[in-house]
Amino acid sequence: MTLYTSDPEPLIDMALKSFQLNNGLFIPAVGIGCWMGSVGDGDHVSQMVKKALDVGYRHVDTAANYGNERSVGVALKETNVPREEIFLTTKLDQNDHGRVQDALETSLKKLGVDYVDLYLMHWPMAFGEDGRVLQPEESPTFVETWKQMELLYFYPGMTKSIGVSNFSIKTLTKLLERASIVPAVNQVEMHPCLPQHDLIEFCQSFNIHLTAYSPIGKHKFAYDPAIVEIAKSHGVTSAQVLLSWGIQRGTSAIPKTLNEERLKENITLVDLGPNEMSVLNGFHQKPGMHRSVCGFHSSELGGSCFGWTYDQLGWRMVEGDSPHTISRKPEFQPYPFASMSVNVATPKPPTILEKIYAQRQKDVEQAKATPGTSPDDLKTYLEMQLAPPLIPLVPRLKSNPSTSTSNPSLSLMAEIKRASPSKGPIAMTVNPAKQALTYAKSGASVISVLTEPTWFKGSLLDMRLVRQAVDSVPNRPAILRKEFIFDEYQIAEARLHGADTVLLIVAMLNQDLLRRLYTYSVSLGMEPLVEVNNASEMERALEVGAKVIGVNNRNLHDFNVDLGTTSRLVDMVQGREVVFCALSGISGPKDVRVYKEQGVNAVLVGEALMRAEDTSKFIRELLEWPEI
Ligand SMILES: O=C(O)c1ccccc1NCC(=O)[C@H](O)[C@H](O)COP(=O)(O)O
């Protein structure tokens, strides 16, 4: 909707404008900020948030430290706006850096919601048990806290995005060196007296969105003649000019006001021209102007803030400091309003498979860049024939303890699975070598080793030790590298670390890549297990000539498990030379019996085996095999 004043100056209705974050979610450009200048302020906050939602806001920003999450919760409960239409942010208190999950659970309870859209680390510095400010190297460091926040993101449910607040280029750089997930947002003080040009440039290069708090500068400079003149020429208030400037730079803002008229004004903005943007970009260069309006850059604080020096924080200034060292790039291309999305209500967050894929790409790049494990190094090791001998998958899968009996049953691919995205920790203390030996002695044809570290807590070392543990077992099982494979490099790694086969997940590969990886794996002597989840993926697996196809009963996009997925695809392999396997969700003999009747050749079982009290007995009963 475009509104018109009498001049008529077109005003831009910001209510539903949003910016897309690096995880695919959309953050509305203007939100209602709930810091009231002091902790709490109960009823006022509830009324303010309710009014804001009534007039069109869909973004609410609070923090544990503001002491008003309950009041925000009252407004969320009383409003008619559905929860899923609201982008809700809260922040981790500095007292809670060592207990992130508990802190978020407490915040959710107070807010009366099941999840927040964004959870921010409020400040990089933590407070110790005794209330003392911990120094940057003291545990929990902000990197350690970030790692805990990443876990919340990996086991989704409580927050849809994670980010930071009050981070500088210095502290962000340190965080990014160790981060598996790039923060979606950095929320900082930002207005024309503190434009943060360098920080914006830095964050843009990492696709980190910036949100401005105190975007109107607490009205401390809003009546400067230069700003008033721009406001007059558009027929709007100074506050509207300052907010328009911020959003036109591509940053969102969370102004606060209890006044209904101002609430409306703050989401009704104007398009500033290049000269006006220039005036505001350079505003802080006036003598004495470059400063925090929150008192953070004050000589009274003696060059520190909350117990960290400006140097530790990466803040390079004190009040009135010459801005030339800070602002090297005052000119920014205006953010194209036209390209802003209005899709607030139906964000499409990445699925777990997409998240894992993105993370594994980073991991593989890192491994390739590590001296000794470059692609050339791996090629040389393979040429030197350093990979251990392998066994062929197809015949091994066709043999199990029941094959020579009058009533042959299915074969088993037994998985080693410490944790998973859908279940969290499953068997964190398992010793993979011992578990593998039990599987081998119980008759498993394949041992599947999850080597993904972040969600499944596995490693290549696990797989190597599994291989070593079973190497001398007669008719040893084949070793499967259970991974999210998209690069030949991962297949070479698998072979060198003792795998006999690898997993190729059709859902993550285009047909050319699937064919290329299939061919490469076969060229190293490893017939891959090709995983499908529906009929079209099955056609693609057959098209590349896969000889071992597994149907995953678990939908990797939404975790839904349906044992009928395998049954529905049986017909597609009938009469073909394919070993047909059922993967995931198999927990008892009944499941296996149904598959046996349908002609399935093997089952891959993870969680049920990891949780079994007597693994050998469980396997024998599951497969209805004779005693070995
Ligand atoms: O298990 C998960 O939560 C999961 C989520 C996303 C991608 C893959 C996932 N699992 C990998 C597997 O394929 C299973 O570990 C395997 O099929 C065994 O499943 P189960 O017997 O249900 O443990």
Side-chain angles (χ1 to χ4, degrees):
M1 179 172 53
T2 303
L3 308 174
Y4 289 92
T5 56
S6 49
D7 348 6
E9 163 77 19
L11 297 177
I12 301 157
D13 180 358
M14 276 293 142
L16 290 179
K17 294 281 188 187
S18 61
F19 294 107
Q20 189 162 27
L21 303 177
N22 62 18
N23 62 359
L25 280 190
F26 291 89
I27 186 167
V30 182
I32 182 73
C34 295
W35 171 241
M36 306 304 280
S38 57
V39 172
D41 223 2
D43 242 17
H44 285 127
V45 173
S46 307
Q47 290 311 321
M48 177 180 75
V49 173
K50 243 187 101 191
K51 261 191 244 164
L53 293 169
D54 284 348
V55 301
Y57 285 70
R58 292 295 179 269
H59 174 178
V60 179
D61 182 279
T62 185
N65 172 265
Y66 298 171
N68 56 30
E69 288 174 312
R70 270 187 222 287
S71 311
V72 172
V74 169
L76 296 176
K77 196 165 169 221
E78 289 179 358
T79 182
N80 293 325
V81 180
R83 168 68 189 93
E84 62 276 12
E85 283 187 21
I86 302 168
F87 189 98
L88 178 61
T89 302
T90 195
K91 308 185 192 83
L92 175 74
D93 191 272
Q94 288 168 275
N95 287 298
D96 290 330
H97 279 216
R99 41 175 179 266
V100 175
Q101 183 160 343
D102 287 352
L104 180 52
E105 271 165 8
T106 305
S107 287
L108 293 180
K109 267 192 208 130
K110 288 184 178 168
L111 288 161
V113 294
D114 298 330
Y115 69 93
V116 287
D117 296 273
L118 177 62
Y119 195 44
L120 299 177
M121 190 190 317
H122 205 151
W123 285 89
M125 62 289 252
F127 295 159
E129 294 292 332
D130 52 1
R132 187 175 61 87
V133 181
L134 302 183
Q135 290 304 292
E137 303 314 324
E138 284 185 271
S139 186
T141 62
F142 60 76
V143 169
E144 288 167 346
T145 303
W146 184 250
K147 287 282 154 199
Q148 284 195 42
M149 292 184 66
E150 286 180 341
L151 280 179
L152 286 184
Y153 188 62
F154 294 143
Y155 296 113
M158 291 204 284
T159 183
K160 292 192 174 181
S161 331
I162 50 173
V164 294
S165 179
N166 296 302
F167 271 61
S168 63
I169 295 178
K170 180 174 180 171
T171 45
L172 267 177
T173 303
K174 205 162 176 190
L175 184 92
L176 290 171
E177 277 166 13
R178 296 274 310 282
S180 301
I181 294 194
V182 176
V185 170
N186 182 20
Q187 186 183 113
V188 296
E189 180 185 343
M190 208 162 29
H191 43 69
C193 280
L194 194 61
Q196 309 268 21
H197 293 310
D198 282 6
L199 185 62
I200 292 190
E201 192 182 3
F202 178 85
C203 286
Q204 278 174 352
S205 70
F206 286 95
N207 205 2
I208 300 170
H209 176 78
L210 274 157
T211 299
Y213 67 77
S214 301
I216 303 168
K218 297 186 188 285
H219 293 273
K220 285 189 181 171
F221 54 85
Y223 304 110
D224 183 283
I227 295 172
V228 171
E229 197 186 314
I230 297 174
K232 266 194 185 157
S233 74
H234 287 271
V236 294
T237 64
S238 292
Q240 284 169 296
V241 168
L242 298 177
L243 290 169
S244 302
W245 166 78
I247 283 152
Q248 229 166 306
R249 304 160 87 209
T251 60
S252 53
I254 44 162
K256 169 219 102 180
T257 176
L258 291 162
N259 177 295
E260 188 159 345
E261 266 322 293
R262 291 224 189 100
L263 272 175
K264 286 183 194 159
E265 283 170 7
N266 289 350
I267 49 167
T268 313
L269 304 183
V270 287
D271 209 345
L272 300 172
N275 287 344
E276 294 165 329
M277 287 299 286
S278 234
V279 168
L280 293 164
N281 284 336
F283 187 79
H284 67 127
Q285 289 173 318
K286 293 184 181 186
M289 273 298 181
H290 192 96
R291 66 183 195 275
S292 156
V293 295
C294 303
F296 293 145
H297 306 137
S298 152
S299 40
E300 284 160 37
L301 294 173
S304 72
C305 179
F306 289 140
W308 278 18
T309 63
Y310 293 159
D311 185 46
Q312 288 171 323
L313 280 159
W315 292 355
R316 289 175 292 160
M317 61 194 174
V318 291
E319 186 175 2
D321 191 11
S322 162
H324 71 267
T325 51
I326 301 138
S327 170
R328 281 183 233 102
K329 198 166 188 278
E331 297 304 333
F332 274 83
Q333 290 299 316
Y335 196 86
F337 280 127
S339 75
M340 284 175 70
S341 173
V342 249
N343 182 5
V344 180
T346 53
K348 187 187 161 292
T351 65
I352 186 66
L353 191 58
E354 287 161 347
K355 283 189 209 167
I356 297 174
Y357 193 179
Q359 180 55 41
R360 277 326 243 163
Q361 278 176 312
K362 283 194 212 162
D363 297 340
V364 167
E365 282 321 303
Q366 199 178 342
K368 284 181 176 178
T370 304
T373 59
S374 70
D376 275 351
D377 288 323
L378 264 51
K379 191 166 164 265
T380 308
Y381 301 144
L382 286 171
E383 283 165 2
M384 291 169 71
Q385 308 208 328
L386 296 183
L390 44 63
I391 58 170
L393 177 64
V394 172
R396 186 61 192 89
L397 251 182
K398 287 183 174 168
S399 107
N400 70 55
S402 69
T403 23
S404 54
T405 67
S406 57
N407 188 16
S409 179
L410 282 69
S411 295
L412 173 67
M413 303 197 232
E415 186 155 281
I416 294 176
K417 187 175 187 180
R418 282 198 184 86
S420 78
S422 58
K423 299 290 171 69
I426 294 172
M428 293 300 285
T429 54
V430 70
N431 180 304
K434 274 175 77 178
Q435 184 82 0
L437 206 52
T438 307
Y439 287 164
K441 289 182 176 165
S442 306
S445 302
V446 171
I447 299 181
S448 161
V449 189
L450 281 155
T451 54
E452 194 284 330
T454 308
W455 286 267
F456 295 91
K457 310 293 174 208
S459 65
L460 276 171
L461 180 64
D462 280 353
M463 191 181 76
R464 208 187 171 97
L465 292 169
V466 162
R467 167 70 199 262
Q468 281 172 239
V470 301
D471 233 0
S472 55
V473 173
N475 191 22
R476 75 163 173 89
I479 308 299
L480 164 67
R481 180 177 190 190
K482 198 83 181 318
E483 242 312 337
F484 300 84
I485 288 178
F486 47 84
D487 192 315
E488 280 90 344
Y489 180 89
Q490 296 163 291
I491 298 175
E493 268 184 336
R495 178 73 188 91
L496 285 165
H497 285 268
D500 302 289
T501 177
V502 294
L503 180 74
L504 296 179
I505 304 174
V506 172
M508 2 184 321
L509 306 168
N510 66 37
Q511 196 61 6
D512 282 348
L513 186 55
L514 175 64
R515 197 175 300 111
R516 213 175 74 203
L517 296 176
Y518 179 82
T519 308
Y520 180 66
S521 180
V522 171
S523 78
L524 295 184
M526 300 189 293
E527 178 67 38
L529 165 63
V530 180
E531 177 182 309
V532 301
N533 183 248
N534 55 43
S536 67
E537 287 177 12
M538 174 64 96
E539 273 166 15
R540 292 178 51 201
L542 293 170
E543 195 268 332
V544 297
K547 295 186 180 53
V548 182
I549 300 181
V551 180
N552 200 343
N553 294 317
R554 179 177 290 112
N555 180 323
L556 297 188
H557 297 288
D558 62 13
F559 295 148
N560 192 26
V561 175
D562 172 5
L563 294 191
T565 317
T566 301
S567 314
R568 286 191 288 278
L569 298 181
V570 174
D571 286 349
M572 291 184 76
V573 291
Q574 226 134 55
R576 291 177 184 263
E577 278 298 304
V578 166
V579 182
F580 186 60
C581 318
L583 326 176
S584 302
I586 296 148
S587 59
K590 262 204 233 151
D591 304 333
V592 176
R593 236 172 273 143
V594 172
Y595 285 147
K596 187 177 162 187
E597 277 163 25
Q598 294 169 341
V600 175
N601 307 112
V603 286
L604 188 146
V605 186
E607 189 182 342
L609 284 176
M610 298 307 295
R611 295 196 195 276
E613 266 178 29
D614 180 339
T615 312
S616 299
K617 185 162 170 271
F618 182 85
I619 290 177
R620 214 169 39 250
E621 289 171 359
L622 180 75
L623 280 306
E624 297 180 335
W625 283 344
E627 293 252 13
I628 300 183

